[in-house]
Amino acid sequence: MALVDEVDWEILAELQADARLSYNELARRVRMSAPAVTERVRQLTRRGVITGYHAHVDPGAVGRGVTALVRLQCYGARCLLRDHTALARPDLLQVHRVTGDACCVVLVAVESMQRFETVIDELAVHGRPASTMVLSSPVVWRAVSPPRSPGPER
């Protein structure tokens, strides 16, 4: 069985566009009954396809106008990925374990450059940080869509 079928993709597209939809409205949009849609959503959640519902918040609009990507070269016992208290910091919006010369890449959002300097100093206890300031974000978030089918070769 495929991980998700066409009906699941329709449901996922609608929920990614507006997670506040009622089951009745979602059912109407995907042309199914509300109980059938409810069961589909429960199954997608149980299987880990849907991992949560949230609002997208612009960090700059809430006073965190300084954002940066920080690559950390950290290995061993002091690795950031092993420090659950550090991973729970509210100024770390995303943490990704990566391949290459860094252990992880962290998206940081803070109020000021002064605060950013403090965050970098605090992250440095885990390894060597290297940062890249975010100037703008043309794509902040994109809905996950079905993979494209390979077309005929030309």
Side-chain angles (χ1 to χ4, degrees):
M1 180 176 125
L3 188 58
V4 293
D5 62 19
E6 288 183 36
V7 173
D8 291 335
W9 277 117
E10 284 185 57
I11 292 169
L12 291 170
E14 292 295 339
L15 287 175
Q16 288 180 99
D18 184 359
R20 297 178 301 167
L21 290 175
S22 69
Y23 284 125
N24 286 334
E25 177 60 18
L26 180 58
R28 187 188 67 72
R29 291 184 184 192
V30 299
R31 300 162 309 284
M32 293 178 67
S33 70
V37 164
T38 302
E39 182 56 28
R40 288 268 189 157
V41 171
R42 283 189 184 131
Q43 288 296 320
L44 289 165
T45 303
R46 184 185 60 75
R47 293 180 6 227
V49 175
I50 296 174
T51 59
Y53 300 87
H54 62 275
H56 293 278
V57 176
D58 177 355
V62 293
R64 293 187 183 189
V66 176
T67 56
L69 295 168
V70 179
R71 294 169 311 287
L72 271 173
Q73 289 183 340
C74 56
Y75 304 96
R78 295 187 337 170
C79 178
L80 176 69
L81 298 176
R82 296 174 191 227
D83 185 339
H84 297 288
T85 302
L87 290 173
R89 296 172 58 120
D91 42 21
L92 306 185
L93 299 186
Q94 296 178 3
V95 179
H96 303 278
R97 184 177 181 189
V98 297
T99 61
D101 63 348
C103 170
C104 57
V105 175
V106 181
L107 176 64
V108 175
V110 292
E111 313 73 48
S112 65
M113 287 302 292
Q114 182 178 8
R115 177 67 185 139
F116 180 69
E117 185 176 353
T118 300
V119 169
I120 287 293
D121 291 344
E122 292 169 353
L123 289 175
V125 302
H126 299 283
R128 191 171 77 206
S131 61
T132 302
M133 302 309 295
V134 175
L135 299 177
S136 66
S137 300
V139 179
V140 176
W141 177 86
R142 178 171 287 139
V144 178
S145 58
R148 294 182 182 187
S149 302
E153 291 189 30
R154 294 181 188 199

Short mmCIF file of all heavy atoms in Angstrom, two decimals, residues 36-70:
data_model
loop_
_atom_site.label_atom_id
_atom_site.label_comp_id
_atom_site.label_asym_id
_atom_site.label_seq_id
_atom_site.Cartn_x
_atom_site.Cartn_y
_atom_site.Cartn_z
N ALA A 36 -15.88 9.93 7.01
CA ALA A 36 -14.79 9.33 6.22
C ALA A 36 -13.54 10.21 6.27
O ALA A 36 -12.42 9.70 6.41
CB ALA A 36 -15.24 9.12 4.77
N VAL A 37 -13.73 11.53 6.17
CA VAL A 37 -12.59 12.45 6.24
C VAL A 37 -11.97 12.41 7.63
O VAL A 37 -10.75 12.39 7.77
CB VAL A 37 -13.02 13.88 5.86
CG1 VAL A 37 -11.99 14.90 6.30
CG2 VAL A 37 -13.24 13.99 4.36
N THR A 38 -12.81 12.38 8.66
CA THR A 38 -12.31 12.32 10.03
C THR A 38 -11.43 11.09 10.22
O THR A 38 -10.34 11.16 10.80
CB THR A 38 -13.48 12.30 11.03
OG1 THR A 38 -14.28 13.47 10.83
CG2 THR A 38 -12.99 12.24 12.46
N GLU A 39 -11.88 9.96 9.71
CA GLU A 39 -11.10 8.72 9.83
C GLU A 39 -9.80 8.81 9.04
O GLU A 39 -8.75 8.38 9.50
CB GLU A 39 -11.92 7.51 9.36
CG GLU A 39 -11.19 6.19 9.51
CD GLU A 39 -10.70 5.89 10.93
OE1 GLU A 39 -11.31 6.37 11.90
OE2 GLU A 39 -9.68 5.17 11.05
N ARG A 40 -9.85 9.39 7.85
CA ARG A 40 -8.61 9.57 7.05
C ARG A 40 -7.60 10.44 7.80
O ARG A 40 -6.42 10.11 7.84
CB ARG A 40 -8.93 10.22 5.71
CG ARG A 40 -9.64 9.34 4.72
CD ARG A 40 -8.62 8.65 3.85
NE ARG A 40 -9.28 7.95 2.76
CZ ARG A 40 -8.70 7.63 1.64
NH1 ARG A 40 -7.45 7.98 1.40
NH2 ARG A 40 -9.34 6.96 0.73
N VAL A 41 -8.08 11.54 8.38
CA VAL A 41 -7.18 12.44 9.12
C VAL A 41 -6.61 11.71 10.33
O VAL A 41 -5.41 11.81 10.62
CB VAL A 41 -7.90 13.74 9.51
CG1 VAL A 41 -7.04 14.58 10.46
CG2 VAL A 41 -8.26 14.55 8.27
N ARG A 42 -7.44 10.95 11.03
CA ARG A 42 -6.93 10.18 12.18
C ARG A 42 -5.86 9.18 11.75
O ARG A 42 -4.85 9.02 12.43
CB ARG A 42 -8.09 9.45 12.87
CG ARG A 42 -8.94 10.35 13.72
CD ARG A 42 -9.93 9.55 14.54
NE ARG A 42 -10.79 10.47 15.27
CZ ARG A 42 -12.10 10.39 15.30
NH1 ARG A 42 -12.74 9.41 14.68
NH2 ARG A 42 -12.80 11.27 15.98
N GLN A 43 -6.08 8.51 10.63
CA GLN A 43 -5.10 7.54 10.14
C GLN A 43 -3.80 8.24 9.72
O GLN A 43 -2.71 7.74 10.00
CB GLN A 43 -5.68 6.75 8.96
CG GLN A 43 -6.74 5.75 9.36
CD GLN A 43 -6.19 4.67 10.26
OE1 GLN A 43 -5.08 4.17 10.08
NE2 GLN A 43 -6.96 4.30 11.27
N LEU A 44 -3.92 9.38 9.03
CA LEU A 44 -2.71 10.12 8.63
C LEU A 44 -1.93 10.59 9.85
O LEU A 44 -0.69 10.58 9.85
CB LEU A 44 -3.11 11.32 7.75
CG LEU A 44 -3.59 10.97 6.35
CD1 LEU A 44 -4.28 12.17 5.70
CD2 LEU A 44 -2.45 10.47 5.49
N THR A 45 -2.63 10.95 10.90
CA THR A 45 -1.97 11.36 12.14
C THR A 45 -1.35 10.16 12.83
O THR A 45 -0.18 10.21 13.25
CB THR A 45 -2.99 12.06 13.07
OG1 THR A 45 -3.56 13.17 12.37
CG2 THR A 45 -2.32 12.54 14.35
N ARG A 46 -2.07 9.08 12.93
CA ARG A 46 -1.56 7.87 13.59
C ARG A 46 -0.31 7.35 12.90
O ARG A 46 0.64 6.91 13.55
CB ARG A 46 -2.64 6.78 13.61
CG ARG A 46 -2.23 5.52 14.37
CD ARG A 46 -3.25 4.41 14.27
NE ARG A 46 -3.49 3.97 12.91
CZ ARG A 46 -2.67 3.20 12.19
NH1 ARG A 46 -1.54 2.81 12.68
NH2 ARG A 46 -2.98 2.83 10.96
N ARG A 47 -0.28 7.45 11.58
CA ARG A 47 0.87 6.96 10.80
C ARG A 47 2.03 7.95 10.77
O ARG A 47 3.08 7.66 10.21
CB ARG A 47 0.42 6.62 9.38
CG ARG A 47 -0.52 5.43 9.35
CD ARG A 47 -1.03 5.01 7.99
NE ARG A 47 -0.49 5.66 6.84
CZ ARG A 47 -1.22 6.14 5.84
NH1 ARG A 47 -2.53 6.07 5.87
NH2 ARG A 47 -0.66 6.70 4.80
N GLY A 48 1.85 9.12 11.36
CA GLY A 48 2.93 10.10 11.41
C GLY A 48 3.05 10.97 10.18
O GLY A 48 4.04 11.69 10.04
N VAL A 49 2.07 10.92 9.28
CA VAL A 49 2.10 11.80 8.10
C VAL A 49 1.77 13.22 8.54
O VAL A 49 2.48 14.17 8.19
CB VAL A 49 1.12 11.30 7.02
CG1 VAL A 49 1.06 12.27 5.85
CG2 VAL A 49 1.50 9.90 6.55
N ILE A 50 0.71 13.39 9.32
CA ILE A 50 0.39 14.68 9.92
C ILE A 50 1.03 14.68 11.29
O ILE A 50 0.75 13.81 12.12
CB ILE A 50 -1.14 14.89 10.04
CG1 ILE A 50 -1.78 14.94 8.64
CG2 ILE A 50 -1.45 16.17 10.82
CD1 ILE A 50 -3.29 14.99 8.66
N THR A 51 1.91 15.66 11.52
CA THR A 51 2.64 15.69 12.78
C THR A 51 2.18 16.79 13.73
O THR A 51 2.68 16.87 14.85
CB THR A 51 4.15 15.86 12.53
OG1 THR A 51 4.37 17.07 11.80
CG2 THR A 51 4.70 14.67 11.74
N GLY A 52 1.27 17.63 13.30
CA GLY A 52 0.77 18.67 14.18
C GLY A 52 0.09 19.78 13.40
O GLY A 52 0.08 19.78 12.17
N TYR A 53 -0.49 20.70 14.14
CA TYR A 53 -1.18 21.86 13.58
C TYR A 53 -0.63 23.09 14.29
O TYR A 53 -0.46 23.09 15.51
CB TYR A 53 -2.69 21.77 13.82
CG TYR A 53 -3.31 20.54 13.20
CD1 TYR A 53 -3.35 19.33 13.87
CD2 TYR A 53 -3.84 20.59 11.92
CE1 TYR A 53 -3.90 18.20 13.30
CE2 TYR A 53 -4.40 19.47 11.34
CZ TYR A 53 -4.43 18.28 12.03
OH TYR A 53 -4.97 17.17 11.46
N HIS A 54 -0.32 24.13 13.52
CA HIS A 54 0.24 25.33 14.14
C HIS A 54 0.01 26.55 13.25
O HIS A 54 -0.35 26.42 12.09
CB HIS A 54 1.74 25.15 14.39
CG HIS A 54 2.52 24.94 13.13
ND1 HIS A 54 2.66 23.71 12.54
CD2 HIS A 54 3.18 25.81 12.35
CE1 HIS A 54 3.38 23.83 11.44
NE2 HIS A 54 3.71 25.10 11.30
N ALA A 55 0.25 27.72 13.85
CA ALA A 55 0.18 28.97 13.11
C ALA A 55 1.59 29.34 12.66
O ALA A 55 2.56 29.11 13.38
CB ALA A 55 -0.38 30.08 13.99
N HIS A 56 1.74 29.86 11.47
CA HIS A 56 3.03 30.37 10.99
C HIS A 56 3.17 31.81 11.50
O HIS A 56 2.33 32.65 11.19
CB HIS A 56 3.11 30.35 9.47
CG HIS A 56 3.11 28.97 8.90
ND1 HIS A 56 4.24 28.20 8.83
CD2 HIS A 56 2.12 28.21 8.40
CE1 HIS A 56 3.95 27.03 8.31
NE2 HIS A 56 2.66 27.01 8.04
N VAL A 57 4.21 32.06 12.27
CA VAL A 57 4.42 33.38 12.86
C VAL A 57 5.68 33.99 12.25
O VAL A 57 6.72 33.33 12.17
CB VAL A 57 4.57 33.27 14.40
CG1 VAL A 57 4.88 34.62 15.02
CG2 VAL A 57 3.31 32.66 15.01
N ASP A 58 5.59 35.23 11.82
CA ASP A 58 6.74 35.96 11.29
C ASP A 58 7.57 36.44 12.46
O ASP A 58 7.11 37.27 13.25
CB ASP A 58 6.25 37.14 10.46
CG ASP A 58 7.36 38.01 9.92
OD1 ASP A 58 8.55 37.78 10.26
OD2 ASP A 58 7.05 38.94 9.16
N PRO A 59 8.80 35.92 12.62
CA PRO A 59 9.63 36.34 13.77
C PRO A 59 9.82 37.86 13.84
O PRO A 59 9.79 38.44 14.93
CB PRO A 59 10.96 35.62 13.55
CG PRO A 59 10.62 34.45 12.69
CD PRO A 59 9.48 34.91 11.81
N GLY A 60 10.01 38.51 12.70
CA GLY A 60 10.20 39.96 12.69
C GLY A 60 8.99 40.71 13.22
O GLY A 60 9.13 41.75 13.86
N ALA A 61 7.80 40.19 12.97
CA ALA A 61 6.57 40.85 13.41
C ALA A 61 6.37 40.76 14.92
O ALA A 61 5.56 41.49 15.48
CB ALA A 61 5.37 40.26 12.69
N VAL A 62 7.12 39.86 15.58
CA VAL A 62 7.01 39.73 17.04
C VAL A 62 8.32 40.12 17.73
O VAL A 62 8.62 39.68 18.84
CB VAL A 62 6.57 38.31 17.45
CG1 VAL A 62 5.15 38.04 16.99
CG2 VAL A 62 7.52 37.24 16.94
N GLY A 63 9.11 40.95 17.04
CA GLY A 63 10.30 41.51 17.66
C GLY A 63 11.58 40.73 17.50
O GLY A 63 12.59 41.06 18.11
N ARG A 64 11.58 39.70 16.67
CA ARG A 64 12.80 38.92 16.43
C ARG A 64 13.26 39.12 15.00
O ARG A 64 13.22 38.21 14.18
CB ARG A 64 12.56 37.45 16.71
CG ARG A 64 12.29 37.16 18.16
CD ARG A 64 12.24 35.69 18.37
NE ARG A 64 11.92 35.37 19.74
CZ ARG A 64 11.99 34.16 20.22
NH1 ARG A 64 12.37 33.17 19.46
NH2 ARG A 64 11.67 33.93 21.47
N GLY A 65 13.70 40.33 14.71
CA GLY A 65 14.05 40.71 13.34
C GLY A 65 15.42 40.28 12.87
O GLY A 65 15.76 40.45 11.71
N VAL A 66 16.23 39.70 13.75
CA VAL A 66 17.56 39.22 13.37
C VAL A 66 17.49 37.70 13.28
O VAL A 66 17.28 37.01 14.29
CB VAL A 66 18.63 39.66 14.40
CG1 VAL A 66 19.99 39.07 14.05
CG2 VAL A 66 18.70 41.17 14.48
N THR A 67 17.65 37.18 12.06
CA THR A 67 17.64 35.73 11.89
C THR A 67 18.93 35.31 11.20
O THR A 67 19.50 36.04 10.38
CB THR A 67 16.43 35.25 11.06
OG1 THR A 67 16.41 35.92 9.81
CG2 THR A 67 15.13 35.49 11.80
N ALA A 68 19.38 34.12 11.55
CA ALA A 68 20.63 33.61 10.99
C ALA A 68 20.60 32.10 10.97
O ALA A 68 19.89 31.46 11.75
CB ALA A 68 21.82 34.09 11.83
N LEU A 69 21.37 31.55 10.06
CA LEU A 69 21.65 30.12 10.04
C LEU A 69 23.02 29.93 10.66
O LEU A 69 23.98 30.58 10.25
CB LEU A 69 21.63 29.59 8.60
CG LEU A 69 20.28 29.67 7.91
CD1 LEU A 69 20.43 29.39 6.42
CD2 LEU A 69 19.31 28.68 8.53
N VAL A 70 23.08 29.07 11.65
CA VAL A 70 24.34 28.81 12.33
C VAL A 70 24.72 27.35 12.13
O VAL A 70 23.93 26.46 12.45
CB VAL A 70 24.24 29.12 13.85
CG1 VAL A 70 25.55 28.83 14.55
CG2 VAL A 70 23.81 30.57 14.07
#
